[in-house]
Amino acid sequence: MPDQSIQAVLKDGLINHGRIIETTLSTLEADPLLAELATLIEDADEADVREAVLWALNSPECAYVGQALQYFGHAFRWEWLRTEIQQRFDEATSRDDLRAMRCWEQILEAFEEVAPGCRSLGELEVPE
């Protein structure tokens, strides 16, 4: 049995990510799958990854894809993904589509800079 292409694995993984959230109502339950997919992405051809991600953005099969892309955006900081999401945000803004604007805005937040030594905004300590 031949190995599946990285595109097929990512597409299946993103579909399953949405299904996990739909059935468990928990993003924490889906995080291990995203971590596994991120490990596969690290060694994959970026063009293959890009094609799978863009497919997921446009596919009705991928529920909760925004959360997955937020995860990948933070982990990989792909400029092509930031540009794609920014374009979609701008289109939603021109239509005054507040729901879509917030969805795209949340993904864009993953590309914001964090303090040196911190992997996420959640690790920042607030001085008393």
Side-chain angles (χ1 to χ4, degrees), residues 43-63:
D43 299 324
D45 179 53
E46 193 168 316
D48 289 335
V49 172
R50 181 180 179 159
E51 188 172 321
V53 167
L54 293 177
W55 171 85
L57 267 171
N58 296 311
S59 175
E61 294 180 71
C62 291

Side-chain angles (χ1 to χ4, degrees), residues 70-84:
Q70 193 173 23
Y71 183 98
F72 294 148
H74 179 74
F76 297 105
R77 307 285 176 157
W78 297 311
E79 186 59 27
W80 57 264
L81 180 59
R82 191 202 62 73
T83 301
E84 180 69 28

